[in-house]
Amino acid sequence: MKAFTQLKGLVGPMDRANVDTDMIIPKQFLKSIKRSGFGPNLFDELRYMDEGQPGQDCSQRPINPEFALNLPRYSGATILLARKNFGCGSSREHAPWALEDYGFRAIIAPSYADIFYNNCFKNGLLPVVLTEQQLNVLFAEMYADEGYQLTIDLAQQKVVRPNGESFEFDIDQFRKDCLIKGLDEIGLTLHSAQAIKDYEKARAETQPWVFGAIK
Amino acid sequence: MSQRTVYDKLWDSHLVKQNADGSALLYIDRHILHEVTSPQAFEGLRIAGRKPWRLDTNLATPDHNISTDPAERAAGVAGIPDNTSRIQVQTLDDNCDHFGIKEFKMNEMGQGIVHVMGPELGATMPGLTVVCGDSHTATHGALACLAHGIGTSEVEHVLASQCLVTKKMKNMRVTVDGVLGVGVTPKDVVLAIIAKIGTAGGNGHAIEFAGSVFRDMSIEGRMTVCNMAIEAGARVGLVAVDEKTIDYCRGRKFMPAGEMFDKAAEYWRTLTSDSDAFFDTEVQMNGSDIAPQVSWGTSPEMVVPVTGNIPRVEDQTDAVKKKGVERALEYMGLEGGAPISSVAVDRVFIGSCTNSRIEDMRAAAAVVKGHTVSKTIKQALVVPGSQMVKEQAEAEGLDKVFIQAGLDWREPGCSMCLAMNADKLGAGEHCASTSNRNFEGRQGNGGRTHLMSPEMAAAAAITGHIVDVREFTGDQS
Ligand code: SF4
């Protein structure tokens, strides 16, 4: 996984509440067996005027001129400003994959759905939680200032605005460490291999029916 | 030891390690895989040169995007017309063969929707932790196990280590006492619960369903209820063990037998919440007050009793809610204030991991028996949840009842629940559906879903519009 320490980048908007995973990446694209390549279909139904199909060349499709992220001023954005309950709905990890593949490395929103929030960390994508008021400030500044950039300092747990002022945010210690070091979570768990084996041994003695059942 | 809930007991018995940073390593006993959320996990294993930690815990089957059309199914994997779907199903087969994972292939006896298959084969047992890359995994909690959905990276994590890095949830108890009226089903109970607590009501909680209504309910009914815990925001829903649980488990394929079963059952009987166990949140309802429910909008909390009216924008006091109702009415093409029973439907879908078990099939068949599907209905699909359900239903002659009444009898799979195959709604079409999500576009671009019980959906197929099954006579109006 890519390490995440500090990010300075252009900011783009997704200015509506309850953006569900179907909106982030519609179901027809879940048939891919790959982890990459979902970027062109991020927000597909909002972004294009036609109904997208997997495997299509998206550069030829009619784009929706009213969809904010289609505006040239947001092209190349790496930080997404969003509203509450972002990522609700299904457990599909294709949602963070699509955001990441599009170029986003961080999202800033007042709240996220549980599974989506979890899935972001597994993909080097940082979901920052700020208050609604703070989001209102950032949205307003971004709309007023073409080329608006923010700096996210994960070690310091700060979002730094262009005027030098910053908003602090909370994050789980374990998740923060994993992101900063770009740790492979599975590798980390496998450091506890002995503890897992010990657990299995003890359990097999008291509940033998749990083991060997499926064959 | 202090008083514990069922969830506390399940958590404690699977804790491998508690870390100082608040996270914990939780042991996973059962891992169910399907074609959509697993290919990238297997790919990850391969790239890292890892192998599954254990084989005897994983069980796989294709369900999400396979065809339910009998002719297409008969042509096998090679006959799946959609290229990307075919590759995905083939990839699951290849991965399971390669890693030695037990799979029930597309047309094999045992195959079915992941959450129908696990319990009916006895792969899901009381006291286990069960995960699957699908948010409706809470279904398995009906057998008093700790079951929830996970993302693809976690699928890979469980394959490689048999563990999850996670945090303990809070405890919530939803108690429904009293007795359900005639024509009121488990689906109506869970829809009424979601309508009451809202789609975020259970966020961060594991919900235990308690009270006489669940005690009186069959195990399959409890599955319908636990299935939709996620629609109330809770990743976990469960019901404590009782003798019904034990009876359900006896004799199933992957269950222990003989003395071992008795020993297991003895342990399973301890999986009830202690009388003074603490719940962070408590909700109480009276089952006698619940009428058959129907969703009118685009969120599972947008539900009214079938005797009720569609909400009006002007009656909403909360500004956010007002906007939500307005947007939903527009999407659904409905008029606020009209009776919900006036809504005509274009298609009917009886199926999904919520309502495709044998009891659901029997209930729907009993309603349509001797009647004919309304001429105004474009399609009425009955999709059994698994090969075993299908076989049982056919042995009872239910398929004939459906076919004679003019409904389509299909092959097992997720089908129109999420419309990843050809079973879809057209734009603007209304569907009486026994599935679990009524989000915009869930059953097809522009499609309009009305969630309800199998009995209600069956009645709607005959009358051509939403109707109170308690007053259903078979007349077409
Ligand atoms: S039936 Fe629907 S909700 Fe259930 S597993 Fe399939 S797609 Fe998911």
Side-chain angles (χ1 to χ4, degrees), chain B residues 13-14 19 108 136 138 183 185 245 285 321 324 336 358 413 425 429:
Chain B
S13 63
H14 289 87
N19 300 318
E108 220 177 308
H136 291 94
T185 72
T245 321
M285 289 171 68
K321 224 170 163 188
I358 190 67
L425 299 182
E429 288 178 350

Side-chain angles (χ1 to χ4, degrees), chain B residues 34 63-64 113-115 134-136 227 349 351-354 413-415 417-418 435-437 442:
Chain B
H34 63 84
D63 59 355
H64 277 62
I113 303 174
V114 277
H115 311 310
D134 183 280
S135 61
H136 291 94
N227 174 275
F349 172 57
S352 89
C353 59
T354 315
C414 294
S415 181
C417 173
L418 92 166
S435 55
N436 44 54
R437 282 193 175 136
R442 169 80 179 182

Side-chain angles (χ1 to χ4, degrees), chain A residues 10 58 61 68 84 133 144 178 182-183 187:
Chain A
L10 186 70
C58 292
R61 295 173 59 193
K84 69 167 198 216
Q133 284 91 334
C178 282
L183 285 183

